[in-house]
Coordinates of all heavy atoms in Angstrom, one line a residue:
M151 N 9.9 -0.7 7.1 CA 9.4 -1.0 8.4 C 9.0 -2.5 8.5 O 8.2 -3.0 7.7 CB 8.2 -0.1 8.8 CG 7.7 -0.3 10.2 SD 6.4 0.7 10.5 CE 7.1 2.3 10.8
Q152 N 9.3 -3.1 9.7 CA 9.0 -4.5 9.9 C 7.8 -4.6 10.8 O 7.5 -3.6 11.6 CB 10.1 -5.3 10.6 CG 11.4 -5.2 9.6 CD 11.3 -5.9 8.5 OE1 10.6 -7.1 8.4 NE2 11.8 -5.3 7.3
T153 N 7.0 -5.6 10.6 CA 5.8 -5.8 11.5 C 6.0 -7.1 12.1 O 6.4 -8.2 11.5 CB 4.5 -5.8 10.7 OG1 4.5 -4.5 10.0 CG2 3.3 -6.0 11.4
I154 N 5.5 -7.3 13.5 CA 5.6 -8.6 14.1 C 4.4 -8.8 15.0 O 3.8 -7.8 15.6 CB 6.9 -8.6 15.0 CG1 7.2 -9.9 15.6 CG2 6.9 -7.5 16.1 CD1 8.6 -10.0 16.3
N155 N 3.9 -10.0 15.0 CA 2.8 -10.4 16.0 C 3.5 -11.2 17.1 O 4.2 -12.1 16.9 CB 1.9 -11.2 15.2 CG 1.2 -10.5 14.1 OD1 1.0 -9.3 14.2 ND2 0.8 -11.1 13.0
L156 N 2.9 -10.9 18.3 CA 3.4 -11.6 19.4 C 2.4 -12.1 20.4 O 1.4 -11.4 20.4 CB 4.3 -10.7 20.2 CG 5.6 -9.9 19.5 CD1 6.1 -9.0 20.4 CD2 6.6 -11.0 19.2
K157 N 2.7 -13.1 21.0 CA 1.8 -13.6 22.0 C 2.6 -13.5 23.3 O 3.7 -14.1 23.4 CB 1.4 -15.2 21.9 CG 0.4 -15.3 20.7 CD -0.1 -16.9 20.7 CE -1.1 -17.1 19.7 NZ -1.5 -18.5 19.7
I158 N 2.1 -12.8 24.3 CA 2.8 -12.4 25.5 C 2.3 -13.0 26.8 O 1.0 -12.8 26.9 CB 3.1 -10.9 25.6 CG1 3.8 -10.3 24.3 CG2 3.9 -10.5 26.7 CD1 3.6 -8.8 24.1
D159 N 3.0 -13.6 27.5 CA 2.5 -14.2 28.8 C 1.8 -13.1 29.6 O 2.5 -12.0 29.7 CB 3.7 -14.9 29.6 CG 3.1 -15.6 30.8 OD1 2.7 -16.7 30.6 OD2 3.2 -15.0 31.9
D160 N 0.7 -13.3 30.3 CA 0.0 -12.3 30.9 C 0.9 -11.8 32.1 O 0.7 -10.6 32.4 CB -1.3 -12.9 31.6 CG -2.4 -13.2 30.6 OD1 -2.3 -12.5 29.5 OD2 -3.2 -14.0 30.8
T161 N 1.6 -12.6 32.8 CA 2.5 -12.2 33.8 C 3.6 -11.1 33.4 O 4.1 -10.2 34.1 CB 3.2 -13.3 34.6 OG1 4.0 -14.1 33.7 CG2 2.0 -14.2 35.3
F162 N 4.1 -11.3 32.2 CA 5.1 -10.5 31.6 C 4.5 -9.3 30.9 O 5.2 -8.2 30.7 CB 6.1 -11.3 30.7 CG 7.2 -10.4 30.1 CD1 8.2 -10.1 30.8 CD2 7.1 -10.2 28.8 CE1 9.3 -9.2 30.2 CE2 8.1 -9.5 28.1 CZ 9.2 -8.9 28.9
F163 N 3.2 -9.2 30.6 CA 2.7 -8.2 29.7 C 3.0 -6.8 30.3 O 3.3 -6.0 29.5 CB 1.3 -8.4 29.5 CG 0.7 -7.5 28.5 CD1 0.8 -7.4 27.1 CD2 -0.1 -6.4 29.0 CE1 0.5 -6.6 26.3 CE2 -0.7 -5.4 28.2 CZ -0.4 -5.5 26.8
P164 N 2.7 -6.5 31.6 CA 3.0 -5.2 32.0 C 4.3 -4.5 31.8 O 4.5 -3.5 31.5 CB 2.6 -5.2 33.5 CG 1.7 -6.4 33.7 CD 2.2 -7.3 32.7
H165 N 5.3 -5.5 32.0 CA 6.7 -5.2 31.8 C 7.0 -4.8 30.3 O 7.7 -3.9 30.0 CB 7.6 -6.3 32.4 CG 7.4 -6.6 33.7 ND1 7.8 -5.8 34.8 CD2 6.9 -7.8 34.2 CE1 7.3 -6.4 35.9 NE2 6.9 -7.6 35.7
F166 N 6.5 -5.7 29.5 CA 6.6 -5.7 28.0 C 6.0 -4.3 27.5 O 6.5 -3.6 26.7 CB 6.1 -6.9 27.4 CG 6.4 -6.9 25.9 CD1 7.7 -7.2 25.4 CD2 5.4 -6.6 25.0 CE1 8.0 -7.2 24.1 CE2 5.7 -6.7 23.6 CZ 7.0 -6.9 23.2
K167 N 4.7 -4.1 28.1 CA 4.1 -2.8 27.6 C 4.9 -1.6 28.0 O 4.9 -0.6 27.2 CB 2.7 -2.8 28.3 CG 1.7 -1.7 27.8 CD 0.6 -1.7 28.4 CE -0.3 -0.4 28.1 NZ -1.3 -0.1 29.1
A168 N 5.4 -1.6 29.2 CA 6.3 -0.4 29.6 C 7.5 -0.3 28.7 O 7.9 0.8 28.3 CB 6.8 -0.6 31.0
I169 N 8.1 -1.3 28.3 CA 9.2 -1.3 27.4 C 8.8 -0.8 26.0 O 9.3 0.3 25.5 CB 9.9 -2.8 27.2 CG1 10.4 -3.2 28.4 CG2 10.8 -2.7 26.1 CD1 10.9 -4.7 28.6
L170 N 7.7 -1.3 25.5 CA 7.1 -0.8 24.2 C 6.8 0.8 24.3 O 7.0 1.4 23.4 CB 5.9 -1.6 23.9 CG 6.1 -2.9 23.2 CD1 4.9 -3.5 22.9 CD2 7.1 -2.8 22.1
E171 N 6.1 1.1 25.5 CA 5.9 2.5 25.6 C 7.0 3.5 25.5 O 7.0 4.6 24.9 CB 5.0 2.8 26.9 CG 3.6 2.2 26.8 CD 2.7 2.2 28.0 OE1 3.4 2.4 29.1 OE2 1.6 2.0 28.0
S172 N 8.1 3.0 26.1 CA 9.4 3.8 26.0 C 9.9 3.9 24.6 O 10.4 4.9 24.1 CB 10.4 3.3 26.9 OG 11.0 2.1 26.5
F173 N 9.8 2.8 23.9 CA 10.1 2.8 22.4 C 9.2 3.8 21.6 O 9.7 4.5 20.7 CB 10.1 1.3 21.8 CG 11.2 0.5 22.3 CD1 11.0 -0.8 22.5 CD2 12.6 1.0 22.6 CE1 12.0 -1.6 22.9 CE2 13.5 0.2 22.9 CZ 13.3 -1.1 23.1
V174 N 8.0 3.7 21.9 CA 6.9 4.6 21.2 C 7.3 6.0 21.5 O 7.4 6.8 20.6 CB 5.6 4.2 21.6 CG1 4.6 5.3 21.0 CG2 5.1 2.9 21.2
K175 N 7.6 6.3 22.8 CA 8.0 7.7 23.0 C 9.3 8.1 22.3 O 9.4 9.3 21.9 CB 8.3 7.8 24.6 CG 8.6 9.1 25.1 CD 8.8 9.1 26.6 CE 9.4 10.5 27.2 NZ 9.7 10.4 28.5
D176 N 10.1 7.2 22.2 CA 11.4 7.6 21.4 C 11.3 7.5 19.9 O 12.2 7.6 19.1 CB 12.6 6.7 21.8 CG 13.0 6.9 23.2 OD1 12.7 8.0 23.8 OD2 13.6 6.0 23.8
K177 N 10.1 7.1 19.4 CA 9.7 7.0 18.1 C 10.5 5.9 17.5 O 10.9 6.0 16.2 CB 9.8 8.3 17.2 CG 8.9 9.4 17.8 CD 8.9 10.6 16.9 CE 8.2 11.7 17.3 NZ 6.8 11.5 17.9
K178 N 10.8 4.8 18.1 CA 11.5 3.6 17.5 C 10.5 2.6 17.2 O 10.8 1.7 16.4 CB 12.4 3.0 18.6 CG 13.5 3.9 19.1 CD 14.5 4.2 18.1 CE 15.6 5.0 18.8 NZ 16.6 5.4 17.9
V179 N 9.3 2.7 17.7 CA 8.3 1.7 17.5 C 6.8 2.5 17.3 O 6.7 3.5 18.0 CB 8.2 0.7 18.6 CG1 6.9 -0.1 18.5 CG2 9.3 0.0 18.9
E180 N 6.1 2.0 16.4 CA 4.7 2.6 16.2 C 3.7 1.5 16.4 O 3.8 0.5 16.0 CB 4.7 3.0 14.8 CG 3.2 3.6 14.3 CD 3.1 3.9 12.9 OE1 4.1 3.8 12.1 OE2 2.1 4.1 12.6
I181 N 2.8 1.8 17.3 CA 1.6 0.8 17.7 C 0.7 1.0 16.4 O 0.1 2.0 16.0 CB 0.9 1.2 18.8 CG1 1.9 1.3 20.1 CG2 -0.1 0.2 19.2 CD1 2.7 0.0 20.3
I182 N 0.3 -0.2 15.8 CA -0.6 -0.3 14.6 C -1.9 -0.9 15.2 O -1.9 -1.9 15.9 CB -0.1 -1.2 13.6 CG1 1.2 -0.7 13.0 CG2 -1.1 -1.3 12.5 CD1 1.9 -1.5 12.1
Q183 N -3.0 -0.2 15.0 CA -4.3 -0.7 15.5 C -4.7 -1.8 14.7 O -4.5 -1.8 13.4 CB -5.3 0.5 15.4 CG -5.0 1.7 16.3 CD -4.8 1.4 17.8 OE1 -5.6 0.6 18.3 NE2 -3.8 1.9 18.4
D184 N -5.4 -2.7 15.2 CA -5.8 -3.9 14.5 C -6.7 -3.7 13.3 O -6.6 -4.2 12.3 CB -6.7 -4.9 15.4 CG -5.7 -5.6 16.5 OD1 -4.6 -5.5 16.2 OD2 -6.3 -6.3 17.4
D185 N -7.5 -2.5 13.5 CA -8.4 -2.2 12.3 C -7.7 -1.5 11.1 O -8.2 -1.3 10.0 CB -9.7 -1.5 12.8 CG -9.2 -0.1 13.5 OD1 -8.0 0.0 13.9 OD2 -10.1 0.7 13.8
D186 N -6.4 -1.2 11.3 CA -5.6 -0.5 10.3 C -4.7 -1.4 9.5 O -4.1 -0.9 8.5 CB -4.8 0.6 10.9 CG -5.6 1.8 11.4 OD1 -6.8 2.0 11.0 OD2 -5.2 2.5 12.4
F187 N -4.6 -2.6 9.9 CA -3.7 -3.5 9.3 C -4.3 -4.9 9.1 O -5.0 -5.5 9.9 CB -2.5 -3.6 10.2 CG -1.2 -4.1 9.6 CD1 -0.4 -3.2 9.0 CD2 -0.8 -5.4 9.6 CE1 0.8 -3.6 8.3 CE2 0.2 -5.9 9.0 CZ 1.1 -5.0 8.3
D188 N -4.0 -5.5 8.0 CA -4.5 -6.9 7.6 C -3.3 -7.8 8.0 O -2.5 -8.0 7.1 CB -4.8 -6.9 6.1 CG -5.4 -8.3 5.7 OD1 -5.1 -9.3 6.6 OD2 -5.9 -8.3 4.6
F189 N -3.3 -8.2 9.2 CA -2.1 -9.1 9.7 C -2.0 -10.5 8.9 O -0.9 -10.9 8.5 CB -2.2 -9.5 11.1 CG -2.1 -8.2 12.0 CD1 -3.3 -7.5 12.5 CD2 -0.9 -7.8 12.3 CE1 -3.0 -6.4 13.4 CE2 -0.8 -6.6 13.1 CZ -1.9 -6.0 13.6
E190 N -3.1 -10.9 8.3 CA -3.0 -12.2 7.6 C -2.3 -12.1 6.4 O -1.4 -12.9 6.0 CB -4.4 -12.7 7.3 CG -4.4 -14.1 6.7 CD -5.9 -14.6 6.4 OE1 -6.7 -14.5 7.3 OE2 -5.9 -15.3 5.4
N191 N -2.4 -10.9 5.6 CA -1.8 -10.7 4.4 C -0.6 -9.7 4.5 O 0.1 -9.4 3.5 CB -2.7 -10.0 3.4 CG -3.9 -11.2 3.1 OD1 -3.6 -12.3 2.7 ND2 -5.1 -10.8 3.2
N192 N -0.4 -9.3 5.7 CA 0.9 -8.5 6.1 C 0.9 -7.2 5.3 O 2.0 -6.8 4.8 CB 2.2 -9.2 5.9 CG 3.3 -8.7 6.6 OD1 3.1 -8.0 7.6 ND2 4.5 -9.0 6.2
Y193 N -0.1 -6.4 5.0 CA -0.1 -5.1 4.5 C -1.2 -4.2 5.2 O -2.1 -4.7 5.6 CB -0.2 -5.2 3.1 CG -1.5 -5.8 2.5 CD1 -2.7 -4.9 2.4 CD2 -1.6 -7.1 2.1 CE1 -3.9 -5.5 2.0 CE2 -2.9 -7.6 1.7 CZ -3.9 -6.7 1.6 OH -5.1 -7.4 1.1
P194 N -1.0 -2.9 5.1 CA -2.0 -2.0 5.6 C -3.2 -2.2 4.8 O -3.3 -2.3 3.7 CB -1.4 -0.7 5.5 CG 0.1 -0.9 5.1 CD 0.3 -2.3 4.6
K195 N -4.3 -2.1 5.5 CA -5.6 -2.2 4.8 C -6.0 -0.9 3.8 O -6.7 -1.1 2.8 CB -6.9 -2.2 5.9 CG -6.9 -3.5 6.6 CD -8.1 -3.6 7.5 CE -8.0 -5.0 8.1 NZ -9.2 -5.0 9.2
N196 N -5.2 0.1 4.1 CA -5.4 1.3 3.1 C -4.6 1.1 1.8 O -4.5 2.0 1.0 CB -5.2 2.6 3.7 CG -3.7 2.8 4.2 OD1 -2.9 1.8 4.1 ND2 -3.4 3.9 4.8
A197 N -3.8 0.0 1.8 CA -2.9 -0.3 0.6 C -3.8 -0.5 -0.6 O -4.9 -1.2 -0.5 CB -2.0 -1.5 0.8
V198 N -3.5 0.0 -1.8 CA -4.4 -0.1 -2.9 C -3.8 -1.3 -3.7 O -2.6 -1.4 -4.1 CB -4.3 1.1 -3.8 CG1 -5.2 1.0 -5.0 CG2 -4.9 2.3 -2.9
V199 N -4.6 -2.2 -4.0 CA -4.4 -3.3 -4.9 C -5.0 -3.0 -6.3 O -5.9 -2.1 -6.3 CB -4.8 -4.6 -4.3 CG1 -4.5 -5.9 -5.2 CG2 -4.4 -4.9 -2.9
S200 N -4.6 -3.5 -7.4 CA -5.1 -3.3 -8.6 C -6.6 -3.4 -8.5 O -7.2 -4.2 -8.0 CB -4.6 -4.2 -9.7 OG -3.2 -4.2 -9.8
S201 N -7.2 -2.3 -9.4 CA -8.7 -2.3 -9.4 C -9.2 -3.5 -10.3 O -8.3 -4.0 -11.1 CB -9.1 -0.9 -10.0 OG -8.8 -0.9 -11.4
V202 N -10.4 -3.7 -10.2 CA -11.0 -4.9 -11.1 C -10.7 -4.5 -12.6 O -10.4 -5.3 -13.4 CB -12.5 -4.9 -10.9 CG1 -13.1 -5.9 -11.7 CG2 -12.7 -5.4 -9.3
E203 N -10.9 -3.2 -13.0 CA -10.8 -2.7 -14.2 C -9.3 -2.9 -14.7 O -9.1 -3.3 -15.9 CB -11.2 -1.3 -14.5 CG -12.7 -1.1 -14.5 CD -13.5 -2.0 -15.5 OE1 -13.0 -2.1 -16.6 OE2 -14.4 -2.6 -15.1
D204 N -8.4 -2.6 -14.0 CA -6.9 -2.8 -14.3 C -6.6 -4.3 -14.5 O -5.9 -4.7 -15.4 CB -6.0 -2.3 -13.2 CG -5.9 -0.8 -13.0 OD1 -6.4 0.0 -14.1 OD2 -5.6 -0.3 -12.1
V205 N -7.2 -5.1 -13.6 CA -7.0 -6.6 -13.8 C -7.6 -7.0 -15.1 O -7.0 -7.8 -15.9 CB -7.6 -7.3 -12.6 CG1 -7.5 -8.8 -12.8 CG2 -6.7 -6.9 -11.3
R206 N -8.9 -6.7 -15.4 CA -9.5 -7.1 -16.6 C -8.7 -6.6 -17.9 O -8.6 -7.3 -18.7 CB -11.0 -6.5 -16.7 CG -11.9 -7.2 -15.7 CD -13.3 -6.5 -15.9 NE -14.2 -7.2 -15.0 CZ -15.2 -6.6 -14.5 NH1 -15.7 -5.5 -14.8 NH2 -16.1 -7.4 -13.5
K207 N -8.3 -5.4 -17.8 CA -7.3 -4.9 -18.9 C -6.2 -5.8 -19.0 O -5.8 -6.2 -20.3 CB -6.9 -3.4 -18.6 CG -6.2 -2.9 -19.7 CD -5.8 -1.4 -19.5 CE -4.9 -0.8 -20.5 NZ -4.5 0.5 -20.2
R208 N -5.5 -6.2 -17.9 CA -4.3 -6.9 -18.2 C -4.6 -8.4 -18.6 O -3.9 -8.9 -19.5 CB -3.5 -7.0 -16.8 CG -2.7 -5.6 -16.5 CD -1.6 -5.8 -15.4 NE -2.2 -6.5 -14.3 CZ -2.7 -5.9 -13.2 NH1 -2.8 -4.7 -13.2 NH2 -2.9 -6.7 -12.1
V209 N -5.6 -8.9 -18.2 CA -6.1 -10.2 -18.7 C -6.5 -10.2 -20.1 O -6.0 -11.0 -20.8 CB -7.4 -10.7 -17.9 CG1 -8.0 -11.9 -18.5 CG2 -6.9 -11.0 -16.4
F210 N -7.1 -9.2 -20.5 CA -7.4 -9.0 -22.0 C -6.3 -9.0 -22.7 O -6.1 -9.6 -23.8 CB -8.4 -7.7 -22.1 CG -8.8 -7.5 -23.6 CD1 -9.7 -8.2 -24.2 CD2 -8.1 -6.4 -24.3 CE1 -9.9 -8.0 -25.5 CE2 -8.4 -6.2 -25.6 CZ -9.3 -7.0 -26.2
E211 N -5.3 -8.1 -22.4 CA -4.0 -8.0 -23.1 C -3.3 -9.3 -23.2 O -2.7 -9.7 -24.2 CB -3.1 -6.9 -22.5 CG -3.7 -5.6 -22.6 CD -3.8 -5.0 -24.1 OE1 -3.0 -5.3 -24.9 OE2 -4.9 -4.4 -24.3
A212 N -3.3 -10.0 -22.0 CA -2.5 -11.2 -22.0 C -3.3 -12.4 -23.0 O -2.5 -13.2 -23.6 CB -2.5 -11.9 -20.5
E213 N -4.5 -12.3 -23.0 CA -5.2 -13.2 -23.8 C -5.0 -12.9 -25.4 O -5.2 -13.9 -26.1 CB -6.7 -13.3 -23.5 CG -7.1 -13.8 -22.3 CD -8.4 -13.8 -21.8 OE1 -9.2 -13.0 -22.3 OE2 -8.9 -14.5 -20.9
K214 N -4.7 -11.7 -25.7 CA -4.4 -11.5 -27.1 C -3.1 -11.9 -27.5 O -2.8 -12.1 -28.8 CB -4.6 -9.9 -27.3 CG -5.9 -9.3 -27.3 CD -6.1 -7.9 -27.7 CE -4.9 -7.0 -27.6 NZ -5.2 -5.7 -27.9
E215 N -2.2 -12.1 -26.6 CA -0.8 -12.6 -27.0 C -0.8 -13.9 -27.5 O -1.5 -14.7 -27.2 CB 0.2 -12.5 -25.6 CG 0.4 -11.2 -25.1 CD 1.4 -11.3 -23.9 OE1 2.0 -12.4 -23.7 OE2 1.5 -10.2 -23.3
I216 N 0.1 -14.0 -28.5 CA 0.1 -15.4 -29.2 C 1.3 -16.2 -28.5 O 2.4 -15.7 -28.4 CB 0.5 -15.2 -30.7 CG1 -0.6 -14.4 -31.5 CG2 0.7 -16.6 -31.3 CD1 -0.3 -14.1 -32.9
G217 N 1.0 -17.2 -27.8 CA 1.9 -18.0 -27.1 C 2.4 -19.2 -28.1 O 2.4 -19.3 -29.1
L218 N 3.0 -20.1 -27.3 CA 3.6 -21.3 -27.9 C 2.6 -22.3 -28.0 O 1.8 -22.4 -27.1 CB 4.9 -21.8 -27.3 CG 6.0 -20.8 -27.0 CD1 7.0 -21.4 -26.1 CD2 6.7 -20.4 -28.2
N219 N 2.7 -23.2 -29.0 CA 1.7 -24.4 -29.1 C 2.5 -25.4 -28.2 O 3.6 -25.2 -27.7 CB 1.4 -24.7 -30.4 CG 2.7 -25.4 -31.2 OD1 3.6 -25.9 -30.6 ND2 2.7 -25.1 -32.6
E220 N 1.8 -26.4 -27.9 CA 2.3 -27.4 -27.0 C 3.6 -28.0 -27.5 O 4.5 -28.2 -26.7 CB 1.3 -28.6 -26.8 CG 1.7 -29.6 -25.7 CD 0.5 -30.6 -25.4 OE1 -0.6 -30.4 -25.8 OE2 0.9 -31.5 -24.6
D221 N 3.9 -28.4 -28.8 CA 5.0 -28.8 -29.3 C 6.3 -27.9 -29.3 O 7.3 -28.3 -28.7 CB 4.8 -29.2 -30.8 CG 5.9 -30.1 -31.3 OD1 6.4 -31.0 -30.7 OD2 6.4 -29.7 -32.4
Q222 N 6.0 -26.6 -29.4 CA 6.9 -25.6 -29.3 C 7.5 -25.5 -27.9 O 8.6 -25.5 -27.6 CB 6.5 -24.3 -29.9 CG 6.3 -24.3 -31.4 CD 5.6 -22.9 -31.8 OE1 4.6 -22.6 -31.0 NE2 6.0 -22.5 -32.8
Y223 N 6.5 -25.5 -27.0 CA 6.8 -25.4 -25.6 C 7.7 -26.6 -25.1 O 8.5 -26.5 -24.4 CB 5.5 -25.3 -24.8 CG 5.6 -25.4 -23.3 CD1 6.0 -24.3 -22.5 CD2 5.5 -26.6 -22.6 CE1 6.2 -24.4 -21.2 CE2 5.6 -26.8 -21.2 CZ 6.0 -25.6 -20.5 OH 6.3 -25.6 -19.1
N224 N 7.2 -27.8 -25.4 CA 7.9 -29.0 -25.0 C 9.4 -29.0 -25.5 O 10.3 -29.4 -24.9 CB 7.2 -30.3 -25.5 CG 6.0 -30.6 -24.6 OD1 6.0 -30.3 -23.5 ND2 4.9 -31.1 -25.2
K225 N 9.6 -28.6 -26.8 CA 11.0 -28.4 -27.4 C 11.7 -27.5 -26.6 O 12.8 -27.8 -26.2 CB 10.8 -28.1 -28.8 CG 10.5 -29.1 -29.7 CD 10.5 -28.7 -31.3 CE 9.9 -29.9 -32.0 NZ 9.8 -29.5 -33.5
L226 N 11.2 -26.3 -26.2 CA 11.9 -25.3 -25.4 C 12.3 -25.8 -24.0 O 13.4 -25.7 -23.5 CB 11.1 -24.1 -25.3 CG 11.2 -23.1 -26.4 CD1 10.3 -21.9 -26.1 CD2 12.7 -22.6 -26.6
M227 N 11.3 -26.6 -23.4 CA 11.5 -27.1 -22.0 C 12.6 -28.3 -22.2 O 13.5 -28.3 -21.2 CB 10.3 -27.7 -21.5 CG 9.3 -26.5 -21.0 SD 9.9 -25.5 -19.6 CE 10.6 -24.1 -20.5
D228 N 12.6 -29.0 -23.2 CA 13.6 -30.1 -23.4 C 15.0 -29.5 -23.5 O 15.9 -30.0 -22.8 CB 13.2 -31.0 -24.6 CG 12.0 -32.0 -24.3 OD1 11.6 -32.1 -23.1 OD2 11.5 -32.4 -25.3
K229 N 15.0 -28.4 -24.3 CA 16.4 -27.7 -24.5 C 16.9 -27.1 -23.0 O 18.0 -27.2 -22.9 CB 16.1 -26.7 -25.6 CG 17.4 -25.8 -25.9 CD 17.2 -24.9 -26.9 CE 18.5 -24.0 -27.2 NZ 18.3 -23.0 -28.1
F230 N 15.9 -26.5 -22.4 CA 16.2 -25.9 -21.2 C 16.7 -26.9 -20.2 O 17.8 -26.8 -19.6 CB 15.1 -25.2 -20.6 CG 15.4 -24.6 -19.2 CD1 16.0 -23.5 -18.9 CD2 14.8 -25.4 -18.1 CE1 16.3 -23.1 -17.6 CE2 15.0 -25.1 -16.7 CZ 15.7 -23.9 -16.5
F231 N 16.1 -28.0 -20.1 CA 16.6 -29.1 -19.1 C 17.9 -29.7 -19.5 O 18.7 -29.9 -18.6 CB 15.4 -30.1 -18.9 CG 14.3 -29.8 -18.0 CD1 13.3 -29.0 -18.3 CD2 14.3 -30.4 -16.7 CE1 12.3 -28.8 -17.5 CE2 13.3 -30.1 -15.8 CZ 12.3 -29.3 -16.2
T232 N 18.1 -29.9 -20.8 CA 19.3 -30.4 -21.2 C 20.5 -29.5 -21.0 O 21.4 -29.8 -20.4 CB 19.1 -30.8 -22.7 OG1 18.1 -31.8 -22.8 CG2 20.6 -31.5 -23.2
E233 N 20.3 -28.2 -21.5 CA 21.3 -27.2 -21.6 C 21.6 -26.7 -20.1 O 22.7 -26.5 -19.8 CB 21.2 -26.1 -22.5 CG 21.2 -26.7 -23.8 CD 20.8 -25.5 -25.0 OE1 20.6 -24.5 -24.5 OE2 20.8 -26.0 -26.1
E234 N 20.7 -26.3 -19.5 CA 20.9 -25.7 -18.0 C 20.9 -26.5 -16.9 O 21.6 -26.3 -16.0 CB 19.6 -24.7 -17.9 CG 19.3 -23.5 -19.0 CD 20.5 -22.6 -19.0 OE1 21.1 -22.4 -17.9 OE2 20.9 -22.2 -20.1
L235 N 20.2 -27.6 -17.0 CA 20.2 -28.6 -15.9 C 21.0 -29.9 -16.1 O 21.3 -30.6 -15.2 CB 18.8 -28.9 -15.4 CG 17.8 -27.7 -15.1 CD1 16.5 -28.2 -14.8 CD2 18.4 -26.9 -14.0
G236 N 21.4 -30.2 -17.3 CA 22.1 -31.4 -17.6 C 21.3 -32.6 -17.5 O 22.0 -33.7 -17.2
I237 N 20.1 -32.5 -17.5 CA 19.2 -33.8 -17.5 C 18.3 -33.8 -18.6 O 17.9 -32.9 -19.3 CB 18.4 -33.8 -16.1 CG1 17.5 -32.6 -16.0 CG2 19.3 -34.0 -14.9 CD1 16.6 -32.7 -14.7
K238 N 17.9 -35.1 -19.0 CA 16.9 -35.2 -20.1 C 15.5 -35.3 -19.4 O 15.3 -36.1 -18.5 CB 17.1 -36.6 -20.7 CG 16.3 -36.8 -21.9 CD 16.7 -37.9 -22.9 CE 15.8 -37.9 -24.0 NZ 16.3 -38.6 -25.2
R239 N 14.6 -34.6 -20.0 CA 13.2 -34.4 -19.4 C 12.3 -35.5 -20.0 O 12.5 -36.0 -21.1 CB 12.7 -33.0 -19.9 CG 11.5 -32.6 -19.3 CD 11.1 -31.2 -19.7 NE 10.1 -31.2 -20.8 CZ 9.1 -30.7 -20.7 NH1 8.4 -30.3 -19.6 NH2 8.3 -30.7 -21.8

């Protein structure tokens, strides 16, 4: 389902509202109340995002991983730029 925000000219609004009401009646459009939807982030407010504990667990697991040291990372990046992009980094 797609969501759209519109600014509608006051003189056209009654006509537009009538059109929308016919779409609602035909179940083609659903009116979403402002308090049910976070328009800025484009998702329903009842959507569940990871809990604080889930995030802490993932951070803890990520911090335990052994990563590359700076020299290893630079060598891999140099190789990638050379082989994949054809440029010297």
